[in-house]
Amino acid sequence: MENFCFSIDEERYDDRHGHVLSLDGWYAHPERKVYEFELLGDGYDTVELPQIQRRERPDVAQALGCEFGDFLPGFTVRIPEALKLAEKYQSLELFLRHDEERISIWEINAEELDELIKENLVEYHLDRVEILYDTMLEIQGWVVDQRGSVDVTVHQEDASPLDCRISRGRRPDVVERRNLDEEYKTQEIGFRISAALPEIKGREIILHFCGDSVTKTCDIDIEALRKENKPKGFFGRLFGKENVAEGGYEAWFARHKADKRVLRRQKHASFAQKPLISIVIPLYCTPLPYLKELIESVRRQSYENWQLCLADGSPDDKAKEFLEKHYGREKRIVYQKLKENGGISANTNAAAELAKGEYLMFCDHDDTLEPDALYEIVKAINDTDADVVYTDEDKVSMDGQHYFDPNFKPDFNLFRLRENNYICHIFVVRKSLTDETGMLRSEFDGAQDFDFILRCCEKAKKITHIPKVLYHWRCHMDSTAADPSSKAYAYEAGRKAIREHYQRMGIDAKVDMTERPGWYRSHIKVQGNPMVSIIIPNKDHTDDLELCLFSMSRKSTYRNYEVLIVENNSEKEETFEYYKKLPERYPKVRVLTWEKEFNYSAINNFAAEEAQGEYLLFLNNDVEILTPDWIEEMLQNCQQENVAAVGVKLYYPDDTIQHAGVVLGLGGIAGHIMCRASREDPGYFGRMISVQEISAVTAACMMVKKSEFDSVKGFDETFQVAFNDIDLCMKFRAAGKKIVFTPYAELYHYESKSRGLEDTPEKQFRFDKEVKRFQEKWAQQLEMGDPYYSPNLSVTEGDCSLRED
């Protein structure tokens, strides 16, 4: 930095607490001079200022390429009673002073100050502006007026009103985030606008925010939205494939939902068990049209042995009067008006007290069910004797006309559940199990369902997933379905729920919230200091091996490991010279010699017999360690009960994904999911960034318990080159053990340079033989499909797109 620099970054006005105008900015002098602030009215009259707030500005230091040391370049200047100053002076000017030196950094005249104050009286923000399936425009946001309330209106380009639906709601998250007055918590500062695209005639629409003294406008470029309305990221893969029939998910869902003929057949189905299903729903100020949609979706069920339990904590009797008028003769509906609103948990528990069924089913008061939902649930109960049943779900627009964001879930996946409440709806639990676990707990309000699901799943003997969309979650402004940031308090409750889950399970773990609302990261304490034996087969390619060992030695924070290099038919003299120097350069390294023909399985089995560790870490020689705690990240999961192996996230050198887990059946046998996707891609519903149980992982970097490895007799040596790691994982799973993928251990993988490609007839013959061997050995599992990958997603593409019919 050679010259004096400064900036006023933001001008804010607070009308409610002393009419204070605040200026946020920074200044920096090459000699780190400390200046005093001076505010003058009309160039001569000194205006007294409160103490200046100073702060660090690392962004400024980075931009200027300098270090400030103890100097604090950031500042906030607060100017009280700005309204009176605007009346008293024609201009205001802010200076920095040092001895005789004076530098002007901000100036404003009375007219500009008046405009600035008015500009700050009404503040708005658009959280979401999008077109849903080329049919609906959805806008969500919030607006506040420091002097009162704000009306929201929408006009066409020609100034005529737009025919649209505008709903208002509370936004406690905004109040908390922006430190607004408590009274805003009860005000409907949130808004949601829904409009049919055919109703919009021009290129844009104009939003009007009409406050008590100021009106602001916001132009929405509809043409630009149309052009941008192309699926991106994993939703692009989900909806944008040409091989999916025209219409995307909505058309797909219409083809896969139960039709009238199927529903008629279901009505006459005979089950050995015909349990009463009590549908438990708390009501609170429920919009009556939504309540009607919900009730009708229950009454349309093809399975008829149900009970609808409604507990109403609303301050009025609208729901009670509505139910008496329209459903007074429906004996299966049980209603109770609560004396007071006890909150979501207490109200839900009150509804559950009305239940007479063998199973409880939990729903929200404004969502809807598919007509075959109860049939499929009862069928699953008969087939599996499940204690817990859950289904897939999607979201429905506020008007109930459009379905989107389907959540095609895996079968029960405890490690994945600790990352995020992926189960959510529908959730059905045996009533006798809730007698053991207890019902919802008010101290977890906001994540009460997450806490409840965790407790039920801990105790359940059988948990069954139905891979069908049977529940539609209405997407509105008070729902985390629409805006995850709208319930910040809920995510802290979720973190507490996971933490207590670990405590009940006897696992020493710390739980953090991530930057994705509602997603968590667990740090499980490594027990003891076990030896890890890292096994690396190698044939020549010492440059690759050196990079692997160097990055391991320099970056690894876990130190109790040994490295077994398995020399495998190297041909270059310099390779053996390199080996001779290894013990001195890397004391943890031993070199073993394999003297037979190449057989990956046999080589690793040979090294495993020589290993001294409790854990074996199979590693390719063509990888580079990226995360220093890569061993700890694997170890904390591999140490868990019933876990046999852990795999990691591998990248190609161009920062695309090489491995983030293997899906059984993908590509016919087994394939890497999301291969070649961007390193930053979270994947379908976060699967690329979640610790989770999975069918298989690659042995390019795979940790296994030595005891479990020995119990299944190691790698199957009939798989000389291909599928040996997948087969090992399948053997673990056949023994009732789990395979876990962690995205928090990351490595570059330079992809099998040592072995080469299947580029000769002999190699191709061997590969085809191993394919056939795998198909025969695991035919039943291939037929059943991957339990951790939805049958609704493609097995011909590795990108989580919709499965073709």
Side-chain angles (χ1 to χ4, degrees):
M1 181 179 64
E2 298 179 356
N3 302 312
F4 177 85
C5 305
F6 68 87
S7 174
I8 300 295
D9 298 331
E10 185 180 10
E11 302 167 316
R12 292 176 285 109
Y13 174 70
D14 183 352
D15 193 68
R16 302 166 68 91
H17 307 95
H19 310 294
V20 177
L21 177 63
S22 298
L23 306 177
D24 288 341
W26 58 270
Y27 74 84
H29 191 278
E31 299 176 7
R32 297 181 188 170
K33 286 184 180 179
V34 178
Y35 288 81
E36 300 294 328
F37 289 83
E38 182 181 48
L39 181 65
L40 296 183
D42 291 339
Y44 64 88
D45 196 0
T46 300
V47 179
E48 186 175 349
L49 294 173
Q51 183 176 356
I52 307 300
Q53 298 174 3
R54 306 300 298 267
R55 66 180 63 87
E56 295 179 351
R57 287 293 297 264
D59 56 326
V60 175
Q62 182 177 3
L64 296 179
C66 64
E67 302 234 351
F68 289 120
D70 294 333
F71 176 71
L72 300 176
F75 61 78
T76 296
V77 177
R78 301 177 72 251
I79 306 174
E81 299 300 340
L83 285 177
K84 294 181 179 179
L85 293 178
E87 296 174 356
K88 183 176 181 180
Y89 300 111
Q90 290 300 307
S91 68
L92 293 173
E93 190 168 6
L94 182 65
F95 295 90
L96 292 175
R97 296 195 63 163
H98 182 80
D99 296 333
E100 298 302 318
E101 181 184 12
R102 190 169 71 172
I103 302 170
S104 174
I105 63 170
W106 178 80
E107 184 177 10
I108 195 169
N109 62 41
E111 184 177 337
E112 292 169 338
L113 179 57
D114 186 59
E115 286 300 316
L116 174 61
I117 290 171
K118 288 181 179 179
E119 179 71 18
N120 277 268
L121 288 177
V122 172
E123 181 183 8
Y124 69 86
H125 184 266
L126 303 185
D127 299 325
R128 190 164 65 98
V129 180
E130 63 180 332
I131 292 174
L132 300 178
Y133 305 107
D134 292 323
T135 58
M136 293 289 294
L137 172 68
E138 294 278 337
I139 303 173
Q140 180 179 322
W142 55 268
V143 59
V144 294
D145 183 354
Q146 296 193 57
R147 294 181 177 174
S149 59
V150 185
D151 289 330
V152 180
T153 60
V154 187
H155 290 77
Q156 302 262 26
E157 196 172 34
D158 63 3
S160 62
L162 175 66
D163 184 12
C164 63
R165 177 174 181 167
I166 303 175
S167 53
R168 303 296 298 268
R170 299 174 183 177
R171 288 293 299 268
D173 61 308
V174 176
V175 177
E176 179 179 343
R177 195 165 62 238
R178 302 188 68 84
N179 295 315
L180 301 179
D181 289 347
E182 284 292 311
E183 66 186 74
Y184 283 113
K185 286 187 176 180
T186 60
Q187 291 185 17
E188 294 184 330
I189 63 174
F191 63 84
R192 185 185 181 96
I193 300 166
S194 301
L197 274 187
E199 297 295 326
I200 300 175
K201 306 304 180 185
R203 295 176 56 89
E204 65 178 18
I205 61 172
I206 301 94
L207 311 186
H208 293 263
F209 303 105
C210 308
D212 284 4
S213 55
V214 178
T215 295
K216 281 190 173 181
T217 62
C218 176
D219 297 343
I220 306 294
D221 191 331
I222 301 300
E223 287 298 312
L225 277 177
R226 290 181 189 274
K227 291 177 182 178
E228 294 172 3
N229 190 37
K230 296 179 181 178
K232 298 179 178 66
F234 75 87
F235 283 117
R237 292 184 290 276
L238 184 64
F239 305 130
K241 305 295 285 186
E242 293 180 2
N243 57 11
V244 176
E246 189 70 25
Y249 169 68
E250 285 195 295
W252 182 94
F253 178 64
R255 294 194 302 275
H256 287 80
K257 64 188 299 186
D259 58 24
K260 292 181 179 179
R261 182 176 57 183
V262 170
L263 293 172
R264 281 197 299 270
R265 189 164 62 245
Q266 290 177 358
K267 282 182 178 292
H268 301 290
S270 177
F271 291 114
Q273 298 182 65
K274 297 181 180 180
L276 174 65
I277 307 294
S278 294
I279 305 170
V280 175
I281 302 177
L283 304 181
Y284 181 76
C285 298
T286 308
L288 297 183
Y290 296 165
L291 180 58
K292 184 177 189 300
E293 285 185 55
L294 167 63
I295 294 174
E296 290 302 317
S297 76
V298 174
R299 296 181 77 216
R300 284 194 294 266
Q301 293 299 304
S302 57
Y303 179 82
E304 297 181 341
N305 191 21
W306 54 263
Q307 176 195 26
L308 182 57
C309 305
L310 305 173
D312 187 4
S314 304
D316 54 48
D317 291 330
K318 291 181 180 179
K320 179 182 179 181
E321 294 167 358
F322 174 81
L323 290 167
E324 289 175 349
K325 178 178 180 181
H326 296 282
Y327 301 103
R329 296 184 179 181
E330 178 56 86
K331 302 302 181 184
R332 293 175 294 181
I333 298 178
V334 184
Y335 172 88
Q336 180 182 2
K337 184 71 171 70
L338 302 178
K339 294 180 179 179
E340 60 181 6
N341 175 30
I344 182 68
S345 293
N347 294 358
T348 303
N349 292 343
E353 290 175 4
L354 305 173
K356 304 297 183 183
E358 298 165 59
Y359 285 84
L360 302 181
M361 173 175 162
F362 295 84
C363 293
D364 289 343
H365 65 166
D366 51 2
D367 299 337
T368 62
L369 308 175
E370 275 298 296
D372 58 332
L374 293 182
Y375 170 87
E376 293 291 350
I377 289 165
V378 172
K379 181 176 183 298
I381 291 170
N382 276 266
D383 291 345
T384 67
D385 195 31
D387 295 314
V388 166
V389 179
Y390 67 95
T391 77
D392 290 350
E393 62 189 295
D394 64 14
K395 298 184 181 71
V396 62
S397 58
M398 286 185 69
D399 59 8
Q401 299 300 309
H402 300 284
Y403 301 106
F404 55 100
D405 289 11
N407 188 355
F408 297 129
K409 306 168 187 177
D411 287 355
F412 183 63
N413 194 323
L414 178 59
F415 281 75
R416 172 68 176 79
L417 185 60
R418 291 165 174 167
E419 301 278 295
N420 166 262
N421 181 12
Y422 80 88
I423 289 180
C424 215
H425 305 108
I426 298 171
F427 184 73
V428 178
V429 59
R430 196 187 297 268
K431 178 65 167 62
S432 59
L433 185 65
T434 67
D435 295 337
E436 183 179 356
T437 63
M439 290 297 296
L440 278 65
R441 302 192 288 181
S442 294
E443 61 265 36
F444 291 90
D445 276 359
Q448 72 289 334
D449 52 347
F450 195 9
D451 169 65
F452 182 65
I453 287 170
L454 283 166
R455 287 187 284 116
C456 290
C457 290
E458 290 165 16
K459 297 290 186 181
K461 294 179 181 178
K462 178 62 179 177
I463 300 170
T464 299
H465 164 230
I466 301 172
K468 295 184 177 182
V469 175
L470 301 175
Y471 189 92
H472 305 296
W473 188 0
R474 196 179 302 273
C475 188
H476 59 86
M477 73 179 63
D478 289 328
S479 170
T480 53
D483 177 20
S485 67
S486 66
K487 291 187 177 179
Y489 70 94
Y491 306 121
E492 174 56 31
R495 187 181 71 85
K496 180 182 175 185
I498 301 172
R499 189 180 67 223
E500 291 204 5
H501 157 73
Y502 280 124
Q503 291 172 352
R504 291 190 298 271
M505 301 294 287
I507 298 173
D508 188 352
K510 178 174 175 286
V511 182
D512 292 334
M513 286 189 281
T514 69
E515 61 184 15
R516 292 166 61 87
W519 293 73
Y520 305 90
R521 178 174 179 180
S522 298
H523 303 273
I524 302 172
K525 185 177 180 180
V526 173
Q527 300 301 306
N529 186 38
M531 166 73 79
V532 177
S533 296
I534 302 174
I535 297 172
I536 308 177
N538 186 71
K539 178 181 179 181
D540 294 318
H541 290 275
T542 54
D543 289 344
D544 293 325
L545 180 58
E546 172 61 22
L547 176 60
C548 175
L549 294 175
F550 181 80
S551 65
M552 184 190 307
S553 176
R554 287 296 182 92
K555 291 189 177 180
S556 299
T557 52
Y558 192 82
R559 305 310 298 172
N560 191 20
Y561 67 87
E562 64 171 353
V563 181
L564 305 181
I565 306 296
V566 190
E567 156 53 30
N568 160 43
N569 300 310
S570 292
E571 300 171 354
K572 298 177 181 179
E573 184 62 31
E574 54 263 36
T575 301
F576 297 94
E577 291 298 321
Y578 175 79
Y579 289 154
K580 292 178 183 178
K581 300 175 183 178
L582 279 179
E584 182 179 347
R585 299 182 61 238
Y586 301 110
K588 296 179 181 293
V589 172
R590 286 191 285 149
V591 179
L592 308 177
T593 301
W594 173 259
E595 296 179 344
K596 301 177 184 180
E597 68 174 352
F598 178 82
N599 181 316
Y600 180 86
S601 297
I603 289 171
N604 281 287
N605 288 342
F606 162 71
E609 291 180 1
E610 299 291 326
Q612 299 174 2
E614 297 176 50
Y615 295 85
L616 306 177
L617 203 170
F618 298 103
L619 193 69
N620 277 22
N621 63 348
D622 55 350
V623 299
E624 178 184 356
I625 313 305
L626 295 178
T627 47
D629 57 349
W630 66 297
I631 295 178
E632 292 96 326
E633 287 292 348
M634 285 187 279
L635 198 54
Q636 67 174 276
N637 292 297
C638 206
Q639 284 191 329
Q640 298 307 302
E641 184 179 3
N642 291 326
V643 174
V646 175
V648 305
K649 200 169 186 181
L650 302 175
Y651 306 114
Y652 289 111
D654 63 356
D655 283 326
T656 58
I657 292 171
Q658 190 268 339
H659 172 267
V662 173
V663 170
L664 189 66
L666 184 62
I669 305 296
H672 290 198
I673 192 68
M674 297 290 291
C675 189
R676 286 294 183 186
S678 166
R679 180 173 178 169
E680 291 77 26
D681 195 328
Y684 180 68
F685 276 91
R687 73 171 294 144
M688 312 304 290
I689 57 173
S690 298
V691 175
Q692 63 202 275
E693 294 158 48
I694 203 161
S695 285
V697 294
T698 178
C701 182
M702 175 173 67
M703 178 181 285
V704 304
K705 283 191 179 96
K706 179 69 160 56
S707 58
E708 300 293 355
F709 185 80
D710 292 341
S711 71
V712 298
K713 297 181 171 55
F715 287 101
D716 184 337
E717 295 182 12
T718 63
F719 294 104
Q720 290 180 261
V721 177
F723 303 112
N724 35 58
D725 46 5
I726 312 302
D727 174 76
L728 178 64
C729 292
M730 296 297 288
K731 291 199 295 180
F732 285 142
R733 291 181 54 225
K737 305 303 178 181
K738 296 178 179 181
I739 315 299
V740 174
F741 162 75
T742 175
Y744 298 119
E746 301 170 283
L747 296 82
Y748 278 130
H749 185 200
Y750 299 98
E751 189 66 52
S752 303
K753 291 180 181 178
S754 302
R755 184 175 58 81
L757 304 173
E758 316 296 348
D759 54 2
T760 67
E762 293 80 10
K763 289 181 179 180
Q764 187 61 52
F765 174 77
R766 181 180 60 197
F767 179 78
D768 292 341
K769 184 179 178 181
E770 292 180 358
V771 168
K772 185 177 180 181
R773 163 84 172 132
F774 188 90
Q775 288 174 320
E776 291 174 349
K777 186 175 181 179
W778 302 107
Q780 182 179 358
Q781 288 79 3
L782 286 166
E783 176 66 26
M784 292 173 62
D786 192 320
Y788 303 116
Y789 184 73
S790 173
N792 300 311
L793 299 177
S794 173
V795 291
T796 59
E797 305 286 341
D799 58 1
C800 296
S801 54
L802 282 168
R803 191 166 190 158
E804 296 181 40
D805 295 337

